Coordinates of all heavy atoms in Angstrom, one line a residue:
R1 N 100.8 118.2 115.8 CA 101.6 117.1 116.7 C 102.7 116.6 115.8 O 103.8 116.4 116.3 CB 100.5 115.9 117.1 CG 101.3 115.0 118.0 CD 100.3 113.8 118.4 NE 100.4 113.0 117.1 CZ 99.2 112.3 116.7 NH1 98.2 112.5 117.5 NH2 99.2 111.7 115.7
I2 N 102.5 116.2 114.5 CA 103.6 115.8 113.6 C 104.7 116.8 113.4 O 105.9 116.5 113.6 CB 103.0 115.3 112.2 CG1 102.1 114.2 112.5 CG2 104.1 115.1 111.3 CD1 101.3 113.8 111.2
A3 N 104.2 118.0 113.3 CA 105.2 119.1 113.0 C 106.1 119.4 114.3 O 107.3 119.7 114.3 CB 104.6 120.4 112.5
R4 N 105.4 119.3 115.5 CA 106.3 119.4 116.8 C 107.3 118.4 116.8 O 108.5 118.7 117.2 CB 105.2 119.4 117.9 CG 104.6 120.8 118.3 CD 104.0 120.8 119.7 NE 103.1 119.7 119.9 CZ 101.8 119.6 119.6 NH1 101.3 120.7 119.0 NH2 101.1 118.7 119.8
K5 N 106.8 117.1 116.6 CA 107.8 116.1 116.6 C 109.0 116.2 115.6 O 110.1 116.1 116.0 CB 107.2 114.7 116.3 CG 106.4 114.1 117.6 CD 106.0 112.7 117.1 CE 105.4 112.0 118.3 NZ 104.8 110.7 117.9
S6 N 108.7 116.7 114.5 CA 109.7 116.8 113.4 C 110.6 117.9 113.8 O 111.8 117.9 113.4 CB 109.0 117.0 112.0 OG 108.4 118.2 111.9
S7 N 110.0 119.0 114.3 CA 111.0 120.2 114.6 C 112.0 119.9 115.7 O 112.9 120.4 115.7 CB 110.2 121.4 114.9 OG 109.5 121.2 116.2
R8 N 111.6 119.0 116.5 CA 112.6 118.6 117.6 C 113.8 117.8 117.0 O 114.9 117.8 117.5 CB 111.8 117.8 118.7 CG 111.1 118.5 119.5 CD 110.7 117.8 120.8 NE 109.9 116.6 120.6 CZ 108.6 116.4 120.5 NH1 107.9 117.4 120.9 NH2 108.0 115.2 120.3
T9 N 113.5 117.1 115.8 CA 114.5 116.3 115.2 C 115.2 117.1 113.9 O 115.9 116.4 113.3 CB 113.9 115.0 114.6 OG1 112.9 115.2 113.7 CG2 113.4 114.1 115.9
A10 N 114.8 118.4 113.9 CA 115.3 119.0 112.6 C 116.9 119.2 112.8 O 117.3 119.4 113.9 CB 114.7 120.4 112.7
G11 N 117.5 118.8 111.8 CA 119.0 118.9 111.6 C 119.3 119.2 110.4 O 118.7 119.9 109.6
A12 N 120.6 118.8 110.0 CA 121.0 119.0 108.6 C 120.2 118.2 107.6 O 119.7 117.1 107.8 CB 122.5 118.6 108.6
I13 N 119.9 118.9 106.5 CA 119.3 118.4 105.5 C 120.2 117.4 104.6 O 121.3 117.8 104.2 CB 118.5 119.3 104.5 CG1 117.6 120.1 105.4 CG2 117.8 118.7 103.4 CD1 116.6 119.5 106.1
P14 N 119.9 116.1 104.5 CA 120.8 115.3 103.7 C 120.9 115.6 102.3 O 120.0 116.1 101.8 CB 120.3 113.8 103.9 CG 118.8 114.1 104.3 CD 118.8 115.4 105.0
I15 N 122.0 115.4 101.7 CA 122.1 115.4 100.3 C 121.3 114.4 99.7 O 121.6 113.2 99.9 CB 123.6 115.5 99.8 CG1 124.5 116.5 100.5 CG2 123.8 115.5 98.2 CD1 124.0 117.8 100.2
A16 N 120.4 114.8 98.8 CA 119.5 113.8 98.1 C 120.4 112.9 97.1 O 121.1 113.5 96.3 CB 118.4 114.4 97.5
V17 N 120.3 111.6 97.2 CA 120.8 110.7 96.3 C 119.8 109.7 96.0 O 118.9 109.4 96.8 CB 122.1 110.0 96.8 CG1 123.2 111.0 97.0 CG2 121.9 109.3 98.1
N18 N 119.7 109.1 94.8 CA 118.8 108.0 94.6 C 119.0 106.9 95.6 O 120.1 106.4 95.8 CB 119.0 107.4 93.2 CG 118.5 108.4 92.0 OD1 119.4 109.1 91.4 ND2 117.2 108.7 91.9
D19 N 117.8 106.4 96.1 CA 117.9 105.3 96.9 C 118.3 104.1 96.2 O 117.6 103.8 95.2 CB 116.4 105.2 97.7 CG 116.6 104.2 99.0 OD1 117.3 104.7 99.8 OD2 116.1 103.2 98.9
P20 N 119.2 103.2 96.8 CA 119.6 102.0 96.1 C 118.4 101.0 96.1 O 117.6 100.9 96.9 CB 120.8 101.5 96.9 CG 120.7 102.1 98.2 CD 119.8 103.4 98.1
I21 N 118.2 100.2 94.9 CA 117.3 99.3 94.8 C 117.8 98.0 95.6 O 118.9 97.5 95.3 CB 117.0 98.9 93.3 CG1 116.6 100.2 92.6 CG2 116.2 97.8 93.1 CD1 116.8 100.2 91.0
L22 N 117.0 97.6 96.5 CA 117.5 96.3 97.2 C 117.2 95.0 96.2 O 116.3 95.0 95.5 CB 116.5 96.1 98.5 CG 116.6 97.3 99.5 CD1 115.9 96.9 100.7 CD2 118.2 97.5 99.9
P23 N 118.2 94.0 96.4 CA 118.2 92.9 95.4 C 117.2 91.8 95.9 O 116.8 91.1 94.9 CB 119.6 92.4 95.5 CG 120.2 92.8 96.7 CD 119.5 94.2 97.1
Y24 N 116.8 91.8 97.0 CA 116.0 90.7 97.5 C 116.5 89.3 97.3 O 115.7 88.5 96.8 CB 114.5 90.9 96.9 CG 113.8 92.1 97.5 CD1 114.1 93.3 96.8 CD2 113.2 92.1 98.7 CE1 113.5 94.5 97.4 CE2 112.6 93.3 99.3 CZ 112.7 94.4 98.5 OH 112.2 95.6 99.0
A25 N 117.8 89.3 97.4 CA 118.5 87.8 97.1 C 118.0 86.9 98.0 O 117.6 87.1 99.1 CB 119.9 88.1 97.3
P26 N 118.0 85.6 97.6 CA 117.5 84.5 98.5 C 118.4 84.5 99.8 O 119.6 84.7 99.8 CB 117.9 83.2 97.6 CG 117.9 83.6 96.2 CD 118.4 85.1 96.3
G27 N 117.5 84.3 101.1 CA 118.2 84.3 102.3 C 118.5 85.7 102.8 O 118.9 85.9 104.0
S28 N 118.2 86.7 102.1 CA 118.4 88.1 102.7 C 117.3 88.5 103.6 O 116.2 88.1 103.5 CB 118.5 89.1 101.3 OG 117.3 89.3 100.7
A29 N 117.7 89.5 104.3 CA 116.8 90.0 105.4 C 115.6 90.7 104.7 O 114.5 90.5 105.1 CB 117.5 91.0 106.4
E30 N 115.8 91.4 103.5 CA 114.8 92.1 102.9 C 113.8 91.2 102.2 O 112.6 91.4 102.2 CB 115.3 93.2 101.9 CG 116.0 92.6 100.7 CD 117.5 92.6 100.8 OE1 118.0 92.8 101.9 OE2 118.1 92.5 99.8
R31 N 114.4 90.1 101.9 CA 113.4 89.0 101.3 C 112.6 88.4 102.3 O 111.4 88.2 102.0 CB 114.2 88.1 100.5 CG 113.4 87.1 99.6 CD 114.3 86.0 98.8 NE 113.5 85.2 97.9 CZ 113.9 85.1 96.6 NH1 114.9 85.8 96.1 NH2 113.1 84.4 95.9
K32 N 113.1 88.1 103.4 CA 112.3 87.4 104.4 C 111.3 88.5 105.0 O 110.1 88.1 105.2 CB 113.3 87.2 105.6 CG 112.7 86.6 106.8 CD 113.6 86.1 108.0 CE 112.9 85.4 109.1 NZ 112.5 86.2 110.1
A33 N 111.7 89.7 105.1 CA 110.6 90.8 105.5 C 109.6 90.9 104.5 O 108.4 91.0 104.9 CB 111.4 92.1 105.9
L34 N 110.0 90.8 103.3 CA 108.8 91.0 102.2 C 108.0 89.8 102.2 O 106.8 90.0 102.1 CB 109.6 91.2 100.8 CG 108.6 91.3 99.7 CD1 107.8 92.5 99.7 CD2 109.3 91.2 98.3
R35 N 108.4 88.6 102.4 CA 107.6 87.4 102.4 C 106.6 87.5 103.5 O 105.5 87.2 103.3 CB 108.5 86.2 102.5 CG 109.1 85.7 101.2 CD 109.8 84.3 101.4 NE 110.5 83.9 100.3 CZ 110.2 83.3 99.3 NH1 108.9 83.1 99.1 NH2 110.9 82.9 98.3
E36 N 107.0 88.0 104.7 CA 106.2 88.1 105.8 C 105.1 89.1 105.6 O 103.8 89.0 105.9 CB 107.0 88.5 107.1 CG 107.9 87.3 107.6 CD 108.9 87.7 108.7 OE1 108.8 89.0 109.1 OE2 109.6 86.8 109.2
A37 N 105.5 90.3 105.0 CA 104.6 91.3 104.6 C 103.6 91.0 103.6 O 102.4 91.2 103.8 CB 105.4 92.7 104.2
L38 N 104.0 90.2 102.6 CA 103.1 89.8 101.6 C 102.2 88.8 102.1 O 100.9 88.8 101.8 CB 103.9 89.2 100.3 CG 103.3 89.0 99.1 CD1 102.6 90.3 98.6 CD2 104.2 88.4 97.9
T39 N 102.6 88.0 102.9 CA 101.7 86.9 103.4 C 100.6 87.7 104.4 O 99.3 87.3 104.2 CB 102.5 85.9 104.4 OG1 103.3 85.2 103.6 CG2 101.5 85.1 105.3
K40 N 101.0 88.7 105.1 CA 100.0 89.5 105.9 C 99.0 90.2 105.0 O 97.8 90.2 105.2 CB 100.8 90.5 106.8 CG 99.9 91.3 107.7 CD 100.7 92.3 108.5 CE 99.9 93.3 109.1 NZ 100.6 94.4 109.8
V41 N 99.6 90.8 103.9 CA 98.7 91.5 103.1 C 97.7 90.7 102.3 O 96.5 91.0 102.1 CB 99.5 92.3 101.9 CG1 98.6 92.9 100.8 CG2 100.2 93.5 102.7
E42 N 98.2 89.5 101.8 CA 97.2 88.6 101.2 C 96.3 87.8 102.1 O 95.3 87.3 101.6 CB 98.1 87.6 100.3 CG 98.8 88.2 99.1 CD 99.5 87.3 98.4 OE1 100.1 86.3 99.0 OE2 99.8 87.6 97.3

């Protein structure tokens, strides 16, 4: 099932580059999402 779904979306393979490190700055969307996720995990 997973492979069937993935083969429908098969396209160009992206050039691999290191994923940027998010800064989690105060007020940022990623910081807000992390706080919510951490509250849920804990």
